[in-house]
Amino acid sequence: MNTGTVKKVNLFVLLACVVLTVVLCPKKQLYFDEPFQIMCSHGITLRNVQQFTDMGTFTSADLKKENTFRNVFTLGGDSIHYVLLHCLNRAIGNDLNIDVYFSVFWGLLCLWAFYVLCRKVTGDSIYTSVALILFFTDILFLNQAYSIRHYIMGLFAAIMSGICFFRYLFEEKSVKNLLWLAIWCALSIISHYFTIYIILVYPVAILAEERMKFFTWKKMTVLALPVVFLLVYFLFHQNPLQTTGNYQQYVKSPHITINNDIGFRPAVSLFLRSVAVNFLVYYPLFRNKAVVLAGSALIVLIVYLAGIWKLVPDKEDKKKFSLLFALGIFSCFFITAMAVTTRTNMLFSYRYFLFSMPFCVLFITLFIKQLCTQGKMNMALKIAVVAILVAPGFYKFIATHRRQHDNGLECNQLTAIHEIKNRDIHKMQVPRTVDAVFINSLLPATYSMTYVLTPATDSATLYDHDEHVIEKFRFPDNGLVVLF
């Protein structure tokens, strides 16, 4: 195909992924972290919720007083995403669908950014389409695109930093390109702290190539600007050290099942599993046995060695291939070290590896490109190798989206919200403060409600204007928000 046709095919695949991202959006179910982000974006956190418990009876007006930009920024979680969600709700309104579509919006931006990154790595070739399909069908992408969390925004920022990194290293080592790289690195950090495992690879790669030539006054001044920005930002916002205590409380909650102490051998097993799955070798997700873990990780290593020694003849492509491998695998070392230090296996949740995923996908794509253009290799062998790498991922994608989604929280609060708005209810009894805060966060900002705490029961009661009981709902203690 000529270049014009290839560009059209790539744009068609990009558009198809965009449309499918919107079309496949499922009926929303909530998970442990999502209500926490919703409430934090309304100014209520562990640090100021106790006052409402002490009151016993409080109103939506009392809760609204805490819904300020300052509270969200200074008391909220570890991402600027909370503040953006706060501003969006203030501008458009409080609704679960609005919060979900905000995440979908970042997902669509991720697709566009990844398309641009593909062109930086593979050029205007049909393999941009291959990479887009692998990216879209990675089980992590849509999972986070539909989640009311800050991971998907962090993914966008990480991809943008990758674009700037490849532009600086392979196109023009200018002060302007370095400034954009530094800006997107800073934005990545305030989107999600774990993007640091991507950012740490950049200076190593740049210094390995430029060495002492890098240290000029202009470049040092450019790098100082985002550093100063981050210092000012963290003067008023929670930093990673401040959020460590909350995280430890979170993982020790009896409602969280993946919080066991982790020793050396489990850490090694989880490390191998992460290496394999991050690089799209999904076999450990089908059978979690030692031989499968080791074999799958070995496939990734063989792919790298074969690519470097046999398949990638061009010097620039070889450098890109190695950089993509480093950007993908460093997350596994980084998170394993953190998990061993904190003695919790929860850090091996795949969402924490999300920011390395685009680079892992491009690594596999570049290998497939070189494999398919290799003239000496038997065609049947090429097809078999490609199938080994991508077939399990496609199967997992299809199986995941066919499976009935039934592992969300038992969240009758959403049903209660529906009834409150439909029946014009303005008073309710709730078993816990967190129930009232969560419900109020999804009611219209002008809606007036009175909440009465009744800790002795696990049921919520709706009252009409004459104080008659309209309906009761069971609100089980399922750890709706474990930090509360």
Side-chain angles (χ1 to χ4, degrees), residues 313-325:
D314 183 77
K315 185 177 179 181
E316 187 173 287
D317 279 347
K318 190 169 290 190
K319 187 189 298 183
K320 289 179 181 178
F321 191 67
S322 293
L323 283 172
L324 291 168
F325 183 68

Side-chain angles (χ1 to χ4, degrees), residues 27-41:
K27 182 180 178 181
K28 185 61 187 168
Q29 292 194 54
L30 288 169
Y31 301 90
F32 289 110
D33 295 343
E34 293 178 285
F36 177 70
Q37 177 133 358
I38 291 170
M39 288 185 281
C40 284
S41 67

Side-chain angles (χ1 to χ4, degrees), residues 432-448:
R432 292 169 301 274
T433 307
V434 67
D435 300 312
V437 174
F438 178 55
I439 288 170
N440 202 74
S441 297
L442 292 176
L443 288 175
T446 56
Y447 203 93
S448 62

